[in-house]
Short mmCIF file of all heavy atoms in Angstrom, two decimals:
data_model
loop_
_atom_site.label_atom_id
_atom_site.label_comp_id
_atom_site.label_asym_id
_atom_site.label_seq_id
_atom_site.Cartn_x
_atom_site.Cartn_y
_atom_site.Cartn_z
N ALA A 533 50.55 -33.43 5.89
CA ALA A 533 51.68 -33.60 4.95
C ALA A 533 51.34 -34.65 3.90
O ALA A 533 51.61 -34.45 2.70
CB ALA A 533 52.94 -33.98 5.71
N LYS A 534 50.77 -35.79 4.32
CA LYS A 534 50.41 -36.83 3.37
C LYS A 534 49.29 -36.38 2.44
O LYS A 534 49.31 -36.66 1.24
CB LYS A 534 50.01 -38.11 4.11
CG LYS A 534 51.16 -38.82 4.79
CD LYS A 534 50.70 -40.11 5.44
CE LYS A 534 51.88 -40.85 6.08
NZ LYS A 534 51.44 -42.11 6.73
N LEU A 535 48.30 -35.69 3.01
CA LEU A 535 47.20 -35.18 2.19
C LEU A 535 47.71 -34.18 1.15
O LEU A 535 47.31 -34.21 -0.02
CB LEU A 535 46.14 -34.52 3.08
CG LEU A 535 45.29 -35.45 3.95
CD1 LEU A 535 44.56 -34.65 5.03
CD2 LEU A 535 44.28 -36.21 3.10
N ARG A 536 48.62 -33.33 1.59
CA ARG A 536 49.15 -32.32 0.68
C ARG A 536 49.98 -32.95 -0.43
O ARG A 536 49.89 -32.56 -1.60
CB ARG A 536 50.00 -31.32 1.48
CG ARG A 536 50.48 -30.14 0.65
CD ARG A 536 51.08 -29.04 1.51
NE ARG A 536 51.36 -27.87 0.69
CZ ARG A 536 50.44 -26.99 0.30
NH1 ARG A 536 49.19 -27.15 0.67
NH2 ARG A 536 50.78 -25.97 -0.46
N SER A 537 50.79 -33.90 -0.07
CA SER A 537 51.62 -34.59 -1.06
C SER A 537 50.75 -35.28 -2.11
O SER A 537 51.03 -35.19 -3.32
CB SER A 537 52.52 -35.61 -0.36
OG SER A 537 53.27 -36.33 -1.29
N ALA A 538 49.68 -35.94 -1.66
CA ALA A 538 48.77 -36.62 -2.59
C ALA A 538 48.05 -35.62 -3.47
O ALA A 538 47.84 -35.88 -4.67
CB ALA A 538 47.78 -37.48 -1.81
N ALA A 539 47.63 -34.48 -2.90
CA ALA A 539 46.89 -33.48 -3.67
C ALA A 539 47.77 -32.90 -4.78
O ALA A 539 47.33 -32.75 -5.93
CB ALA A 539 46.40 -32.37 -2.74
N ILE A 540 49.03 -32.58 -4.46
CA ILE A 540 49.95 -32.02 -5.47
C ILE A 540 50.26 -33.06 -6.54
O ILE A 540 50.32 -32.75 -7.74
CB ILE A 540 51.23 -31.51 -4.79
CG1 ILE A 540 50.91 -30.27 -3.93
CG2 ILE A 540 52.30 -31.16 -5.84
CD1 ILE A 540 52.07 -29.77 -3.10
N ARG A 541 50.42 -34.31 -6.10
CA ARG A 541 50.72 -35.39 -7.05
C ARG A 541 49.58 -35.61 -8.04
O ARG A 541 49.78 -36.00 -9.18
CB ARG A 541 51.01 -36.68 -6.27
CG ARG A 541 51.54 -37.81 -7.13
CD ARG A 541 52.05 -38.96 -6.30
NE ARG A 541 51.05 -39.50 -5.40
CZ ARG A 541 51.05 -39.36 -4.08
NH1 ARG A 541 52.01 -38.65 -3.50
NH2 ARG A 541 50.10 -39.90 -3.33
N THR A 542 48.35 -35.32 -7.59
CA THR A 542 47.17 -35.54 -8.45
C THR A 542 46.65 -34.25 -9.08
O THR A 542 45.50 -34.20 -9.51
CB THR A 542 46.05 -36.23 -7.65
OG1 THR A 542 45.74 -35.45 -6.49
CG2 THR A 542 46.46 -37.63 -7.24
N GLY A 543 47.48 -33.20 -9.10
CA GLY A 543 47.12 -32.03 -9.91
C GLY A 543 46.85 -30.74 -9.18
O GLY A 543 46.55 -29.73 -9.83
N MET A 544 46.95 -30.68 -7.82
CA MET A 544 46.71 -29.42 -7.12
C MET A 544 47.89 -28.47 -7.32
O MET A 544 49.04 -28.85 -7.12
CB MET A 544 46.50 -29.65 -5.62
CG MET A 544 46.17 -28.37 -4.86
SD MET A 544 46.03 -28.60 -3.07
CE MET A 544 47.76 -28.50 -2.58
N GLN A 545 47.59 -27.25 -7.72
CA GLN A 545 48.61 -26.21 -7.83
C GLN A 545 48.65 -25.43 -6.53
O GLN A 545 47.66 -24.83 -6.13
CB GLN A 545 48.30 -25.28 -9.01
CG GLN A 545 49.39 -24.26 -9.29
CD GLN A 545 49.05 -23.35 -10.45
OE1 GLN A 545 47.92 -22.88 -10.55
NE2 GLN A 545 50.01 -23.11 -11.32
#
Side-chain angles (χ1 to χ4, degrees):
K534 289 183 178 179
L535 288 166
R536 186 169 188 79
S537 177
I540 292 174
R541 189 169 58 251
T542 55
M544 183 184 84
Q545 186 180 43

